[in-house]
Amino acid sequence: MSRLAAKFAQLAQAKRKALIPFVTVGDPHPEFTLPLLHAMVEAGADILELGVPFSDPMADGPVIQRASERALAHKMSLRKVLAIASEFRKTDTQTPLVLMGYLNPIEMMGYETFANAAQQAGIDGVLTVDLPPEEAENCVVLLKERGIDQIFLLAPNSSDERIQKMGRVGSGYLYYVSLKGVTGAGHLNTDDVATKLAQIRNNTSLPVGVGFGVKDAQTAKTVSQIADGVVVGSALIAQIEDNLHDLATAKLKIVELLSSMRHAMDS
Amino acid sequence: MLLKWQHLSQQLIKLTEFKMTENYTMPDERGHFGPYGGMFVAETLMPPIQALNEAYQRYLADPEFIAELDADLQHYVGRPSPLYHAQRWSKELGGAQIYLKREDLNHTGAHKINNTVGQALLAKRMGKTRIIAETGAGQHGVATATVAARLGLECVVYMGSVDVQRQALNVYRMKLLGAKVVAVESGSKTLKDALNEALRDWVTNVDNTFYIIGTVAGPHPYPAMVRDFQAIIGREAKQQCLAQTGRLPDALVACVGGGSNAIGLFYPFIDDASVKMIGVEAAGDGIETGRHSAPLCAGRPGVLHGNRTYLMADDDGEIIETHSISAGLDYPGVGPEHAWLKDTHRAQYVAITDDEALQGFHALTQMEGIIPALESSHAMAYTLKLAPTMKKDDIIIVNLSGRGDKDMHTMAQREGIQL
């Protein structure tokens, strides 16, 4: 069983939901990320999504765009993200790590080289925003052979047929994008999400994480009542952006926000 | 032979009357040109591009749609555009006979309108009320704002803030036409960033919005669809060449940014093995300086903006900032079909520097009294090199994809002249 599947099974048994923070690795500089990852686990994170910065983040709103720009200004790259993941694994062998980013850095590295490097770095899942299942056959096989889950996105306009396809091709969990838009935009509508999740569950048995629009403890709690996992990204990165000159405070605020979400989800 | 074709050159060559390629069948049904092309988009965009593809396939086979498109091309765009024998310039260069496909004479001054007319008709048929577009030089933005005005559709055009400055005249034209022009401040502030922002808009407003992509890039079906709308250029050129000279040309020359004017000229000739096809990329300050926009000549395959193609990217896969004097060629990618034509050696790709492009600009202006766009000037500059190496009875068709009015400001600045 993959580390992701084991994690969801263990959470289900404890009747808890997964808290899944996303941060862009190397934002605002490479040394900030590793201690932050450990601190987020201590604050109650179950799975970590590691954002791989890309020059052209087409699916991201301004907050994550700027995080990418800050990280790239320090020459952050897929290789360096994997190096940081390896460091993390030296002291934490339990928390699943999911890479989230765009396809071109993987294309440049080569699929097989990437799959090997990801395995060696202790990566558990890969979510590539611009790689739909139609184009993913090669990648999925290479990752699966190395025990790594390929995670796909679902959107409000995904049909039954597409949900089934993601359920077949993907593994680990599915990431439901709660609104039509980019990361960090708008507020999610709980009723709409609940309706869509019912449709998703009719078509696949994979766990479902919900992201886009999770901003505070209240939305995290609400989402956790209907989904298997809650993904929070822009709200965390906004703490970094608001405290660029005092990163100790940035880290503290991220920990506080995650702790409050954890508390709300568990109570 | 000559007489047989003569009457045809007088009328519009209709989409329905002319089978373009017998043997060449690219792309496959999922939009692949060999390893290139495809549909590399976020999940929210999969349903709309699949719906677009279905609509496109359906209307391409709908005689009513084709008749409406043909009528628009004739009466609104002003087609057919002439194939003009540049006799003085040909004589001056002392080699091949140069024929110019006069896309500069189209309504709005470039080939871009061939595509926007087609996509706007599709948008209307699909019940969309809002049009978005990206633009570099502003020609596609103007062509989109034009058709949106005509159909009474809301129109938002995304344009890099660097381009907004260097193409101020086109920005004003778009505003006059009722479009909202959004200056994009992210990344390199040029065409690629405008495309990113348009994709972000589309993902947010997917229900009512039709995205008119201006070149043969983006996810399937855009590369094939834009090619098919632009192929009117090559269909006409082929018949006009046959009518005027009694034979096929020996070479086709066109500039390549995303590559829509080039593929429009090339496509109907792909099965004619004797016709050489040459795409001219922008070498900017020179390929060796790294400051250029020539992914086919000096890039490598990767994935950007929904398709796999040659890109300007570094070892980590980050997209490199590009440079060209011409905003319309200032793009780090290229249509996936060009990538395929390059790898299969059916077409050849070369690059022309900013300085050389200016020579082409002046040559055509002085020899023929035609001021070309800076984009098209790259094709002219390559013709300056190519024509003298060919025989006097050889024929080159050069795509004069747009007129230079929009570039007066850039030219004056470059040459230190106060307007």
Side-chain angles (χ1 to χ4, degrees):
Chain A
M1 193 187 287
S2 75
R3 216 165 352 217
L4 277 169
K7 174 61 82 173
F8 276 104
Q10 174 202 333
L11 285 166
Q13 209 162 28
K15 298 206 167 4
R16 292 173 76 220
K17 299 301 175 69
L19 177 59
I20 311 174
F22 167 100
V23 289
T24 300
V25 177
D27 170 35
H29 63 74
E31 287 72 38
F32 184 69
T33 305
L34 184 60
L36 177 65
L37 297 180
H38 289 301
M40 291 196 298
V41 175
E42 268 175 48
D46 298 296
I47 296 165
L48 300 174
E49 285 189 356
L50 308 181
V52 182
F54 181 52
S55 54
D56 293 79
M58 290 150 277
D60 285 302
V63 171
I64 295 180
Q65 283 176 45
R66 288 191 294 264
S68 261
E69 284 174 17
R70 287 191 294 269
L72 289 173
H74 291 280
K75 305 272 177 223
M76 188 43 61
S77 64
L78 178 55
R79 269 168 246 274
K80 291 180 186 167
V81 170
L82 290 171
I84 289 172
S86 294
E87 282 301 309
F88 176 85
R89 272 281 168 261
K90 284 182 183 165
T91 51
D92 185 330
T93 55
Q94 297 303 311
T95 310
L97 294 176
V98 173
L99 290 183
M100 183 168 180
Y102 295 81
L103 185 57
N104 201 46
I106 297 174
E107 284 261 324
M108 285 302 154
M109 189 182 277
Y111 286 62
E112 193 160 359
T113 310
F114 166 71
N116 288 335
Q119 183 186 27
Q120 277 160 20
I123 297 297
D124 303 289
V126 175
L127 197 171
T128 311
V129 176
D130 51 352
L131 184 66
E134 284 78 359
E135 303 283 357
E137 290 118 354
N138 187 14
C139 199
V140 167
V141 171
L142 286 166
L143 291 175
K144 193 162 277 178
E145 284 169 359
R146 288 158 182 81
I148 300 173
D149 293 309
Q150 177 96 44
I151 292 148
F152 289 102
L153 296 173
L154 287 172
N157 51 357
S158 298
S159 62
D160 285 351
E161 193 193 344
R162 286 198 69 76
I163 297 167
Q164 288 163 17
K165 182 180 258 180
M166 309 297 181
R168 272 197 315 275
V169 184
S171 57
Y173 60 99
L174 293 169
Y175 183 143
Y176 176 60
V177 173
S178 71
L179 47 85
K180 292 172 188 160
V182 292
T183 52
H187 293 274
L188 61 78
N189 179 319
T190 318
D191 291 345
D192 291 351
V193 173
T195 308
K196 192 69 188 182
L197 279 182
Q199 185 201 348
I200 293 170
R201 296 202 191 281
N202 278 335
N203 287 285
T204 176
S205 56
L206 281 180
V208 184
V210 172
F212 284 41
V214 177
K215 288 181 171 13
D216 50 27
Q218 188 51 48
T219 43
K221 182 181 173 66
T222 313
V223 170
S224 73
Q225 287 163 346
I226 46 179
D228 303 299
V230 179
V231 186
V232 54
S234 295
L236 301 180
I237 290 173
Q239 305 303 324
I240 297 177
E241 193 160 74
D242 290 347
N243 296 284
L244 280 173
H245 300 294
D246 182 4
L247 290 173
T249 299
K251 187 173 154 192
L252 194 68
K253 294 229 167 171
I254 288 173
V255 165
E256 278 174 11
L257 183 54
L258 282 177
S259 302
S260 71
M261 289 178 165
R262 177 83 270 167
H263 183 74
M265 287 163 63
D266 291 348
S267 63
Chain B
M1 183 71 178
L2 203 62
L3 279 174
K4 183 183 155 200
W5 292 105
Q6 203 99 55
H7 75 282
L8 269 174
S9 71
Q10 308 300 320
Q11 28 170 288
L12 185 78
I13 290 105
K14 294 182 180 173
L15 195 60
T16 38
E17 284 175 358
F18 202 85
K19 189 151 170 33
M20 281 181 277
T21 59
E22 294 285 345
N23 301 320
Y24 180 85
T25 55
M26 290 291 183
D28 68 16
E29 61 186 23
R30 277 160 57 190
H32 294 114
F33 302 86
Y36 303 109
M39 290 186 275
F40 294 90
V41 295
E43 179 56 22
T44 314
L45 290 182
M46 285 302 285
I49 65 174
Q50 284 169 340
L52 173 62
N53 191 32
E54 279 158 29
Y56 175 59
Q57 301 298 342
R58 183 164 79 247
Y59 289 118
L60 199 65
D62 175 357
E64 228 174 88
F65 178 84
I66 297 299
E68 195 175 345
L69 176 60
D70 282 341
D72 278 358
L73 289 173
Q74 185 171 4
H75 301 294
Y76 190 67
V77 176
R79 305 204 70 91
S81 72
L83 183 72
Y84 166 71
H85 185 190
Q87 294 190 45
R88 182 160 180 250
W89 197 29
S90 304
K91 198 171 171 193
E92 162 85 9
L93 294 179
Q97 299 307 306
I98 302 163
Y99 286 78
L100 303 173
K101 184 57 177 163
R102 297 290 309 271
E103 293 300 300
D104 61 318
L105 295 177
N106 292 340
H107 180 41
T108 69
H111 71 290
K112 290 292 184 189
I113 192 130
N114 301 329
N115 168 49
T116 59
V117 160
Q119 287 200 47
L121 286 182
L122 264 184
K124 202 174 77 172
R125 290 283 207 287
M126 292 174 75
K128 303 293 183 184
T129 55
R130 182 172 175 270
I131 299 274
I132 57 169
E134 83 296 337
T135 197
Q139 290 303 106
H140 173 59
V142 167
T144 303
T146 298
V147 296
R150 178 167 173 252
L151 297 177
L153 300 170
E154 183 190 348
C155 180
V156 178
V157 178
Y158 291 92
M159 189 170 186
S161 61
V162 169
D163 293 336
V164 166
Q165 282 202 341
R166 59 179 166 179
Q167 300 288 346
L169 195 62
N170 270 343
V171 173
Y172 182 57
R173 287 168 83 193
M174 286 183 266
K175 287 181 179 167
L176 282 178
L177 289 160
K180 182 179 164 201
V181 180
V182 179
V184 177
E185 297 289 350
S186 59
S188 60
K189 305 176 173 58
T190 59
L191 181 54
K192 80 172 173 76
D193 310 286
L195 232 149
N196 290 338
E197 210 54 41
L199 285 168
R200 291 181 188 119
D201 179 311
W202 199 24
V203 98
T204 308
N205 302 294
V206 68
D207 294 327
N208 69 343
T209 298
F210 190 104
Y211 180 15
I212 299 189
I213 293 186
T215 191
V216 284
H220 180 62
Y222 284 100
M225 178 173 70
V226 176
R227 173 197 70 192
D228 291 348
F229 286 138
Q230 290 294 359
I232 184 81
I233 301 171
R235 288 201 304 278
E236 286 178 4
K238 193 173 191 176
Q239 298 222 359
Q240 289 165 325
C241 188
L242 288 168
Q244 292 178 31
T245 71
R247 66 183 194 86
L248 289 172
D250 299 284
L252 307 174
V253 178
C255 65
V256 176
S260 69
N261 90 80
I263 214 79
L265 177 63
F266 294 174
Y267 181 51
F269 290 94
I270 283 186
D271 281 344
D272 301 305
S274 68
V275 181
K276 273 191 202 148
M277 311 194 301
I278 303 154
V280 185
E281 295 194 299
D285 290 343
I287 297 284
E288 69 289 353
T289 66
R291 284 176 48 78
H292 60 86
S293 307
L296 289 167
C297 293
R300 50 174 125 191
V303 169
L304 181 69
H305 294 152
N307 67 95
R308 183 179 288 119
T309 186
Y310 279 83
L311 295 176
M312 307 262 299
D314 66 17
D315 291 342
D316 293 322
E318 310 301 341
I319 304 305
I320 298 170
E321 290 196 8
T322 53
H323 171 79
S324 170
I325 189 172
S326 121
L329 303 183
D330 207 347
Y331 180 66
V334 63
E337 192 161 19
H338 287 294
W340 173 246
L341 293 176
K342 172 193 157 76
D343 282 10
T344 55
H345 305 290
R346 178 61 190 95
Q348 179 194 344
Y349 295 88
V350 297
I352 283 291
T353 65
D354 287 353
D355 288 342
E356 289 171 325
L358 294 183
Q359 288 172 28
F361 177 93
H362 286 301
L364 192 69
T365 303
Q366 287 160 16
M367 294 307 297
E368 295 289 345
I370 300 171
I371 302 179
L374 282 172
E375 291 76 14
S376 322
S377 297
H378 287 71
M380 301 307 147
Y382 189 72
T383 304
L384 275 176
K385 295 182 180 182
L386 178 68
T389 69
M390 294 170 70
K391 294 199 298 283
K392 281 201 170 95
D393 55 355
D394 284 346
I395 296 168
I396 306 176
I397 296 180
V398 190
N399 202 2
L400 178 43
S401 55
R403 59 177 175 243
D405 307 34
K406 70 181 173 58
D407 297 312
M408 292 300 101
H409 192 69
T410 306
M411 285 302 296
Q413 224 173 23
R414 176 97 181 187
E415 307 201 327
I417 295 160
Q418 195 90 37
L419 289 180

